Amino acid sequence: MIILTSNGLSNAKLLNELGKYIKSGKAALVVTADNEYKEKNYHVERLRRELELLGLAVELFDFDKQTPSELLNYEVAELIGGNPYYLLESIRKNGFYDVLKHFAENKYLVGCSAGALVLTPTLNLVDIYSPEMNIVGLEDLTACALTDIQILPHYSKFIKRYDGFEERCAEYEKENNCKVIRLNDGEAIIADGHDFMLIN
């Protein structure tokens, strides 16, 4: 199961829904996307508390320092936000694609903002807004494609920050013949195979 979120499991309705499936176990809170602060990321403690509300024992995890086989010791993996280009490069470089696919199909894989974007088909939409984040020089923006859903996180927050924010997204949809789900903070998509549910 994949859970795509804008800012984590910050919605009580979402926690209640996930509580139907997740009863206990261990969660890896993956801090790799914040290439600067890692475990000192401002949101880490809140994200940890949210996972603990599901009865999970939470440990921090870093794709840059640990191995894919170590991730298999957990029932839930949550990828925090930060830089989606850096995170995608780390997934590729350190061989985490297969284990993330295993989580999507057999366990619980949560993506938060950038952590959600890398699970979708492509970073092309992000590149329209924030190409300067591509500090690793990624040329192939194909993401993990563990779901065919495309999202735009922090929608209501960013619509005031970027000129033509909605117009650029609508143009992207038209040019790529796709639908982008705009996610506000607190909203999430639970995807299980081809079925998905929007929680708002």
Side-chain angles (χ1 to χ4, degrees):
M1 181 180 288
I2 295 176
I3 302 97
L4 304 173
T5 79
S6 181
N7 68 328
L9 308 177
S10 60
N11 181 328
K13 187 176 171 185
L14 174 61
L15 285 170
N16 287 337
E17 185 63 31
L18 293 179
K20 296 175 184 177
Y21 309 98
I22 302 169
K23 304 296 181 187
S24 62
K26 290 199 320 182
L29 186 57
V30 181
V31 299
T32 310
D34 187 340
N35 54 293
E36 187 174 355
Y37 294 106
K38 299 279 190 177
E39 67 278 356
K40 293 184 173 67
N41 176 281
Y42 174 76
H43 300 288
V44 161
E45 284 312 307
R46 173 180 60 82
L47 297 172
R48 180 199 291 272
R49 286 194 302 273
E50 290 167 0
L51 290 167
E52 288 173 345
L53 287 171
L54 290 169
L56 295 161
V58 183
E59 297 175 1
L60 301 185
F61 197 98
D62 189 353
F63 293 163
D64 291 334
K65 297 176 182 174
Q66 291 165 268
T67 65
S69 61
E70 289 176 82
L71 195 61
L72 291 171
N73 294 322
Y74 301 88
E75 285 68 54
V76 177
E78 178 171 354
L79 283 57
I80 75 166
N83 187 319
Y85 301 93
Y86 183 90
L87 178 57
L88 182 57
E89 170 72 359
S90 181
I91 290 167
R92 290 175 180 170
K93 182 174 65 179
N94 298 306
F96 274 89
Y97 173 79
D98 287 342
V99 73
L100 291 177
K101 186 171 188 287
H102 174 75
F103 266 80
E105 294 172 351
N106 303 287
K107 297 189 178 189
Y108 302 95
L109 182 58
V110 182
C112 175
S113 190
L117 289 165
V118 299
L119 306 178
T120 70
T122 177
L123 298 186
N124 282 334
L125 180 56
V126 183
D127 209 53
I128 291 171
Y129 298 108
S130 302
E132 73 284 353
M133 292 182 76
N134 190 359
I135 58 173
V136 291
L138 275 191
E139 294 183 7
D140 178 6
L141 299 184
T142 305
C144 294
L146 297 176
T147 174
D148 56 6
I149 297 168
Q150 295 198 54
I151 63 166
L152 187 55
H154 313 298
Y155 182 75
S156 59
K157 185 188 295 183
F158 282 178
I159 201 164
K160 299 165 189 158
R161 189 176 299 181
Y162 293 89
D163 289 336
F165 188 70
E166 167 56 29
E167 291 78 4
R168 285 193 262 180
C169 185
E171 184 64 24
Y172 173 86
E173 289 177 309
K174 186 177 172 185
E175 289 178 359
N176 294 279
N177 191 29
C178 67
K179 171 67 179 166
V180 173
I181 298 177
R182 286 91 165 141
L183 282 183
N184 293 316
D185 287 357
E187 295 182 332
I189 295 163
I190 299 177
D192 199 359
H194 292 292
D195 298 323
F196 77 91
M197 171 176 28
L198 176 63
I199 306 279
N200 53 23

